[in-house]
Amino acid sequence: MDDLFPRLSEQWRNRLTETSHDQTVPAGSLLFLEEQPGSHLYLLRTGLIRLFRTTPDGREVTIHLVEPGQLFAEIVLFERDTYPVSAIAVEESCVTAIPRERVHQLLDDRSFRSEFMSDLVGKMRFLSQQLYVLTTMDVRGRLIRFLEVRYGRTPKIISELSKTETAAAISVRPETLSRALARLESQGVLTWNGNDITVADHAWTDDDQS
């Protein structure tokens, strides 16, 4: 768990993992449901997890796509006792489940509390920096950057994500992404048909200069 809590001493990492366990979540399976009691927080090891809420009329609204290495559901530590969203595996995923009560027990120790909070603040600072970078980019820049990080600079991509899920991942509305895709196709930069995405070579270098 070094990658999740790098500021924690080995002693506290061992104490934290004593009751943690790894869990495989098959593609299409739910990890937890909205308003279910929040018994664990999770670290995504591999795969992709979609967090979503269900509207009164039954529609699913994607809130966030969790990437490997990210902690999620940590809100149950401090703000509420139930999960505010549902979590489903987009592809087969492996998560480390950390019992909420175990963290609460360890937080009673001043030494652990100091190290743990330092870790959380560091993660929040990193996410704030990432958010700043993201919000200063236009939709084209966000999309190209997302594709590069996820798939590398390759001209042919087979995406396991829908356009709606991709829009959620880059924090734009699906209709905004659709308009951007239409412009990119007309400019010969990128085409997206079904699961197949074709990216022109100059898309990557143009994005470097933007």
Side-chain angles (χ1 to χ4, degrees):
M1 199 171 288
D2 298 23
D3 53 341
L4 176 58
F5 298 114
R7 293 178 178 82
L8 279 185
S9 64
E10 183 177 359
Q11 169 198 355
W12 291 120
R13 280 200 301 269
N14 290 339
R15 293 280 300 277
L16 189 60
T17 57
E18 283 174 353
T19 56
S20 301
H21 66 276
D22 288 345
Q23 178 178 345
T24 298
V25 189
S29 297
L30 285 163
L31 179 60
F32 55 77
L33 283 169
E34 183 178 346
E35 299 304 327
Q36 177 182 325
S39 58
H40 293 77
L41 57 153
Y42 297 90
L43 167 69
L44 181 61
R45 294 291 189 181
T46 61
L48 188 69
I49 297 289
R50 181 169 68 93
L51 305 181
F52 68 92
R53 299 194 69 172
T54 303
T55 63
D57 61 2
R59 291 182 299 111
E60 292 183 0
V61 178
T62 298
I63 304 300
H64 181 57
L65 292 174
V66 183
E67 299 278 355
Q70 292 184 346
L71 186 70
F72 62 104
E74 68 273 27
I75 192 171
V76 299
L77 282 178
F78 306 110
E79 294 188 25
R80 55 185 295 160
D81 297 328
T82 59
Y83 296 117
V85 296
S86 299
I88 189 171
V90 177
E91 57 192 47
E92 183 174 279
S93 304
C94 178
V95 300
T96 297
I98 307 168
R100 171 179 182 250
E101 290 307 316
R102 180 56 170 168
V103 179
H104 279 168
Q105 291 169 2
L106 293 176
L107 284 171
D108 287 337
D109 188 291
R110 179 179 297 180
S111 176
F112 175 82
R113 184 166 62 247
S114 176
E115 292 183 24
F116 185 78
M117 295 306 294
S118 175
D119 239 305
L120 285 186
V121 169
K123 292 181 188 304
M124 290 173 62
R125 186 178 298 115
F126 171 77
L127 290 173
S128 295
Q129 292 170 345
Q130 292 295 96
L131 181 61
Y132 174 78
V133 171
L134 186 64
T135 54
T136 56
M137 302 175 94
D138 60 13
V139 180
R140 177 193 181 284
R142 296 186 195 191
L143 176 61
I144 296 299
R145 181 174 181 273
F146 174 77
L147 295 177
E148 179 181 1
V149 169
R150 185 157 183 80
Y151 303 106
R153 293 191 172 192
T154 177
K156 298 289 185 181
I157 295 169
I158 299 177
S159 177
E160 74 284 7
L161 302 177
S162 68
K163 293 177 183 177
T164 299
E165 291 168 337
T166 300
I170 63 174
S171 300
V172 300
R173 293 179 179 275
E175 54 268 28
T176 302
L177 177 60
S178 294
R179 290 193 295 269
L181 289 173
R183 287 195 300 272
L184 290 171
E185 183 170 1
S186 68
Q187 296 165 358
V189 175
L190 180 151
T191 58
W192 188 331
N193 296 309
N195 294 327
D196 298 329
I197 304 173
T198 302
V199 186
D201 289 341
H202 63 82
W204 313 115
T205 53
D206 288 350
D207 192 54
D208 286 340
Q209 298 168 6
S210 61

